[in-house]
Amino acid sequence: EEEEEEEGVRITPQLLKASTGEFALESILLLRLPGRGIGHLGCLGDCFNLEWLDLSGNSITQLGPLASLKSLSVLNLARNRVASLEPLSSCQNLQSLNVAGNRVSSLQQLRCLAGLRRLESLRLRDPLARLANPLCLTSPAYRAALADMLPGLKAIDGQRLSGRGSELYQLCRDLDNSLGRGGAGVTGPQQPRVAQPWVEAGFWDPRPPRRSSIMEEAYKQFGEVLQECRELGRRADDTIAQA
């Protein structure tokens, strides 16, 4: 692993300053280094105030320097070679973590995240990008186990577990499942079904206007007020002309 770690680009102060335009590493708050062939995090741990970090699409295996990033809130490590997340246990401010497409093979390797009280979003799999971890393939029920292990999570793999929108998501998922089960039990040839209109006949036909007594009174009062305004406008014009 150590030999593999040394392969690729090493993060240096010069690389960080050139990428961010900052003169001091402590001034870097947001850092994007995706697809740079990085294999060693080097001096990244000196960016003490870093809050947002994207290291996706590199060759990283060891996360040791990240342990000193106490302000880190968002971390994207998708498509790397990480197996151990232990250094992240010190990132107490971490809220969102993406490790899709790495080498996490067991739930035990995720227990180090249990102490991260602010962690709300964890991604181990990304179907759109075709990224996953060995855990996703060997343990299909890993999401439920993760929800029990990390009760503070609100989303796993982009799927809402709690918070705003979770009830709607659960309802839609249950509806999809029920529709799937309904079609699975049907056997034999099925007769083509004739499409039916969504609304009853005549639904879109124009209807005669109807006015309630309240609307009639409102129109009447509006007409009287409009007439008064016109009269006041006429008097004002006369007064201005005399002046």
Side-chain angles (χ1 to χ4, degrees):
E1 288 185 357
E2 292 180 357
E3 293 179 357
E4 187 177 15
E5 176 187 3
E6 294 297 335
E7 294 179 358
V9 176
R10 184 185 185 92
I11 293 181
T12 63
Q14 293 76 17
L15 186 151
L16 294 176
K17 293 176 181 179
S19 300
T20 63
E22 297 289 349
F23 292 100
L25 300 186
E26 297 84 355
S27 301
I28 301 177
L29 302 179
L30 185 151
L31 180 61
R32 296 186 70 255
L33 296 172
R36 301 287 288 269
I38 297 171
H40 195 286
L41 298 182
C43 66
L44 188 58
D46 294 335
C47 302
F48 302 115
N49 297 314
L50 193 61
E51 298 178 359
W52 197 96
L53 176 60
D54 183 359
L55 292 170
S56 59
N58 287 289
S59 303
I60 300 167
T61 60
Q62 304 296 319
L63 303 179
L66 300 185
S68 60
L69 304 183
K70 308 299 183 183
S71 299
L72 191 61
S73 176
V74 177
L75 175 59
N76 186 355
L77 289 168
R79 199 184 292 111
N80 276 280
R81 304 176 183 175
V82 177
S84 174
L85 304 177
E86 190 65 37
L88 300 183
S89 62
S90 300
C91 302
Q92 295 298 318
N93 201 47
L94 194 62
Q95 298 179 25
S96 176
L97 173 62
N98 185 350
V99 289
N102 280 272
R103 298 179 176 177
V104 179
S105 58
S106 68
L107 290 170
Q108 185 64 31
Q109 292 172 296
L110 298 170
R111 293 191 179 279
C112 59
L113 305 178
L116 302 181
R117 303 304 180 189
R118 297 189 177 184
L119 186 62
E120 296 182 350
S121 175
L122 175 61
R123 183 179 286 276
L124 295 172
R125 182 172 178 268
D126 188 344
L128 295 179
R130 297 183 179 180
L131 298 176
N133 282 268
L135 171 63
C136 306
L137 304 177
T138 58
S139 303
Y142 70 93
R143 290 194 185 97
L146 271 179
D148 292 337
M149 186 193 322
L150 308 174
L153 286 179
K154 294 184 178 179
I156 298 177
D157 297 343
Q159 298 183 3
R160 299 286 294 182
L161 301 176
S162 62
R164 187 176 183 180
S166 60
E167 294 82 1
L168 178 59
Y169 169 80
Q170 183 65 39
L171 178 61
C172 293
R173 186 170 64 175
D174 293 343
L175 179 59
D176 289 340
N177 292 336
S178 64
L179 292 176
R181 286 194 297 268
V186 179
T187 58
Q190 299 184 16
Q191 297 296 328
R193 303 174 65 180
V194 179
Q196 299 294 328
W198 289 5
V199 296
E200 298 178 358
F203 182 85
W204 300 110
D205 294 343
R207 300 178 182 179
R210 295 173 54 189
R211 289 185 179 179
S212 65
S213 58
I214 297 178
M215 290 297 297
E216 291 289 351
E217 182 63 25
Y219 275 110
K220 180 181 177 182
Q221 293 183 11
F222 178 76
E224 293 175 354
V225 172
L226 184 60
Q227 185 63 31
E228 291 179 6
C229 290
R230 289 173 178 170
E231 180 64 23
L232 289 174
R234 187 185 61 79
R235 294 179 182 177
D237 290 339
D238 293 343
T239 303
I240 294 175
Q242 293 176 4

